[in-house]
Amino acid sequence: MGSLQDAINSNLDKSDDELAIVGLDFILPQARTLKELDQLFSKGVDCVAYPSKKRRKLMEPFFEQGKEYTYIPGAYIDDIDQFDYNFFKITKLDAELMDPYQRLFLQSGWHALEDAGLTKEKLKEAGIAICDFLKKCKVSFS
């Protein structure tokens, strides 16, 4: 079986349409890079698992006191609590009240711009604006 990169390259070679992917980022369980994702695919790793102790601790404030909860397997991503609200000029309270998917979108979007070699200065010079197209398209993650 070929690598993920080989599959991407072979599909791009077959296309008559021109497409430029200038930056890429994703946030997946056990994979933050294309190389890590390729390794998971090639080894057939199942990333569905019970939440780690760290993740369970992050969940606890949302549980109703006095009730018993059972953790279920899921595709939990690491470092969900590491959002840098100062970098995005957002208050801590606003960041806590944001939809978690919006925080992930901001992080991943910025990393994709970095991957493309774009800096804040280059974006300002070019007059480029970034919008949350997922919300406008009413994409649902539930």
Side-chain angles (χ1 to χ4, degrees):
M1 179 157 83
S3 73
L4 181 61
Q5 189 63 53
D6 292 339
I8 292 169
N9 290 341
S10 71
N11 283 325
L12 289 178
D13 291 342
K14 294 176 187 175
S15 175
D16 292 333
D17 298 327
E18 292 184 20
L19 174 70
I21 300 173
V22 294
L24 174 73
D25 189 67
F26 51 84
I27 303 170
L28 299 171
Q30 302 179 36
R32 288 283 306 160
T33 66
L34 201 53
K35 184 177 180 178
E36 290 173 347
L37 183 61
D38 190 36
Q39 289 173 349
L40 291 175
F41 283 153
S42 64
K43 294 178 183 175
V45 175
D46 182 357
C47 295
V48 174
Y50 286 94
S52 66
K53 287 182 183 181
K54 180 182 176 185
R55 186 59 180 265
R56 290 192 307 258
K57 191 170 179 86
L58 291 171
M59 294 175 179
E60 287 173 4
F62 299 98
F63 295 158
E64 191 176 321
Q65 287 187 346
K67 282 192 169 185
E68 191 171 316
Y69 291 88
T70 303
Y71 295 100
I72 60 171
Y76 299 100
I77 58 175
D78 296 327
D79 302 322
I80 193 75
D81 60 331
Q82 301 300 310
F83 180 72
D84 186 359
Y85 57 88
N86 285 319
F87 178 81
F88 292 102
K89 296 182 174 36
I90 298 171
T91 67
K92 183 177 181 179
L93 178 61
D94 284 340
E96 289 172 352
L97 295 173
M98 284 175 76
D99 183 320
Y101 290 112
Q102 287 179 317
R103 292 193 302 266
L104 291 172
F105 181 83
L106 281 172
Q107 287 176 176
S108 192
W110 182 255
H111 289 141
L113 292 172
E114 287 179 324
D115 186 59
L118 298 172
T119 62
K120 286 183 184 179
E121 293 75 27
K122 286 181 181 177
L123 292 171
K124 284 180 187 176
E125 288 172 15
I128 295 174
I130 310 296
C131 69
D132 183 347
F133 68 90
L134 294 176
K135 192 166 193 149
K136 288 184 179 18
C137 295
K138 302 198 183 322
V139 173
S140 175
F141 293 98
S142 51

